[in-house]
């Protein structure tokens, strides 16, 4: 099933969006234009605005997704109309909340521990947040009945999870999709490091599904801020009404095209990270101050210590950057997978700490 671009507002969109039309540059931009609109005619290639509808880059990424689906035995085909690039997936989270949630009326559902941005953006726009915590010993299961009972306008599911690094089964996600009257957003920022199949193969069967991807992690383009929203075209059209039409910059468009032409390098680097992850996991399990190491399906490992504050202070003093996640899971730190030398340095520091 191929889905083309839409010019229709999604029925769940905020009422006020009915008053809007696409920003004028998107509405009239011609792919082949060289016109410099309100810019310096003597400037370099960056003296013109980027194309707000980069069909070639979208099509190239769609082709990549199709190949990914073939590997996963999926049956969905994608077109440029299923893809919207944003300045990082965190901007997509902000857009979704602004575009679909009525302040002081609607609510979102999250499952703590999870990415704090979902909650922060919602509260910033006076949107109520319903928390249905993850369950299971490894925090790898959803309370699907409680999520359905929340009747949220948007349900954000981080899969693989940040900060736990757990994964949720497709069966659980499908259960949520079937029961939800709102949109279900599956944030797949770390999917490239996981053995789990992507949820994108469910999009044509469940039009209330939105999948978020990023080029910041496995693709190595964090400094360019590139996120992707994948979903039913009317959802993307609704987001476009609020998105800066020139936010997908010329350097970012070029970088995406280049990295999609160099998949072998990306895949090789991911393989190295996964290998280091396995080695680091085994090393961490042998350290006396470590209480528990959570299984990882991402490019980081969540570690529970007997006293994380002492460990955190020691690592910071040694200029070893880790994330303090103890506000989400008591006495825990999130350790990113780095190059072998840096991983060895962190292990060395941890072995010298006396709790």
């Amino acid at each position: 099933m191929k889905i083309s671009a839409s010019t229709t507002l999604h029925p769940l969109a905020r009422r006020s969006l009915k008053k809007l039309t696409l920003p004028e540059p998107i509405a009239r931009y011609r792919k082949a234009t060289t016109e410099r609109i309100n810019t310096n005619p003597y400037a370099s290639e960056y003296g013109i605005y980027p194309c707000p509808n980069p069909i070639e880059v979208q099509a190239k990424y769609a082709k990549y997704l199709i190949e990914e689906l073939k590997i996963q035995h999926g049956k969905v085909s994608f077109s440029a109309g299923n893809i919207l690039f944003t300045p990082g997936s965190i901007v997509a989270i902000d857009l979704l909340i602004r575009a679909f949630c009525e302040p002081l009326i609607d609510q979102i559902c999250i499952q703590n521990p999870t990415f704090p941005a979902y909650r922060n953006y919602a509260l910033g726009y006076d949107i109520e947040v319903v928390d249905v915590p993850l369950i299971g010993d490894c925090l790898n299961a959803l309370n699907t009945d409680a999520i359905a009972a929340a009747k949220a306008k948007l349900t954000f599911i981080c899969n693989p999870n940040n900060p736990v690094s757990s994964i949720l089964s497709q069966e659980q996600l499908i259960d949520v999709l079937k029961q939800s009257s709102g949109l279900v957003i599956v944030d797949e920022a770390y999917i490239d490091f996981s053995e789990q199949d992507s949820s994108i193969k469910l999009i044509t069967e469940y039009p209330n599904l939105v999948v978020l991807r990023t080029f910041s992690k496995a693709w190595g383009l964090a400094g360019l801020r590139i996120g992707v929203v994948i979903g039913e075209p009317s959802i993307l059209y609704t987001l476009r009404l609020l998105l800066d039409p020139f936010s997908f910059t010329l350097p970012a468009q070029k970088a995406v095209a280049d990295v999609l032409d160099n998949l072998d390098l990306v895949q090789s680097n991911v393989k190295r990270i996964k290998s280091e992850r396995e080695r680091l996991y085994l090393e961490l399990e042998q350290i006396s101050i470590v209480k528990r190491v959570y299984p990882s399906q991402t490019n980081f490992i969540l570690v529970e210590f007997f006293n994380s504050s002492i460990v955190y202070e020691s690592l910071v003093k040694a200029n070893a950057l880790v994330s303090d996640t103890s506000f989400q899971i008591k006495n825990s730190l999130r350790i990113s997978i780095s190059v072998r030398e840096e991983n060895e340095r962190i292990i060395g520091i941890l072995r010298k700490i006396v709790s």
Side-chain angles (χ1 to χ4, degrees), residues 287-307:
I287 296 176
S288 61
I289 60 172
V290 171
K291 183 177 182 181
R292 179 181 183 182
V293 186
Y294 282 78
S296 177
Q297 289 285 312
T298 60
N299 65 339
F300 58 81
I301 298 176
L302 185 73
V303 185
E304 187 180 346
F305 295 89
F306 290 102
N307 188 332

Side-chain angles (χ1 to χ4, degrees), residues 256-281:
V256 169
D258 288 346
V259 79
L260 286 168
D261 286 334
N262 290 278
L263 291 176
D264 288 346
L265 178 60
V266 174
Q267 292 164 355
S268 173
N269 287 337
V270 168
K271 185 177 180 180
R272 293 167 70 185
I273 290 170
K274 291 165 82 171
S275 176
E276 276 299 297
R277 179 181 70 193
E278 183 178 352
R279 195 180 64 83
L280 185 60
Y281 180 92

Side-chain angles (χ1 to χ4, degrees), residues 66-237:
I66 291 169
E67 292 302 314
E68 180 181 298
L69 284 168
K70 287 180 181 177
I71 295 171
Q72 298 173 3
H73 307 291
K75 298 180 181 179
V76 182
S77 62
F78 282 86
S79 71
N82 292 106
I83 293 167
L84 176 66
F85 287 98
T86 60
S89 57
I90 198 166
V91 169
I93 295 165
D94 175 68
L95 279 173
L96 284 159
I97 293 171
R98 284 195 289 131
F100 287 96
C101 293
E102 299 285 358
L104 303 175
I105 296 175
D106 290 326
Q107 55 192 21
I108 72 164
C109 179
I110 62 173
Q111 307 84 43
N112 270 314
T114 193
F115 188 36
Y118 312 139
R119 176 183 181 275
N120 292 348
Y121 278 120
L123 294 180
Y125 296 127
D126 283 325
I127 308 299
E128 182 184 354
V129 179
V130 179
D131 180 15
V132 181
L134 292 171
I135 56 179
D137 183 57
C138 292
L139 300 176
N140 61 345
L142 298 170
N143 186 340
T144 56
D145 290 340
I147 291 173
K151 299 186 184 303
K153 193 69 164 294
L154 303 178
T155 298
F156 286 93
I157 299 175
C158 194
N159 190 40
N161 179 273
N162 175 16
V164 181
S165 190
S166 57
I167 55 173
L168 304 166
S169 70
Q170 292 280 303
E171 290 74 21
Q172 292 177 85
L173 296 176
I174 289 171
D175 194 12
V176 174
L177 287 163
K178 286 180 175 178
Q179 296 190 65
S180 178
S181 58
L183 299 183
V184 178
I185 298 98
V186 178
D187 187 344
E188 293 189 342
Y190 299 94
I191 194 70
D192 300 287
F193 303 103
S194 172
E195 304 306 318
Q196 173 83 313
D197 285 356
S198 171
S199 296
I200 57 173
K201 62 183 179 182
L202 303 174
I203 284 175
T204 51
E205 187 175 355
Y206 300 97
N208 60 330
L209 171 62
V210 180
V211 177
L212 304 184
R213 292 282 189 95
T214 179
F215 278 79
S216 295
K217 313 300 181 186
W219 298 84
L221 300 178
L224 288 171
R225 311 306 303 128
I226 305 162
V228 190
V229 186
I230 306 165
E232 193 272 324
S234 70
I235 295 173
L236 306 187
Y237 174 82

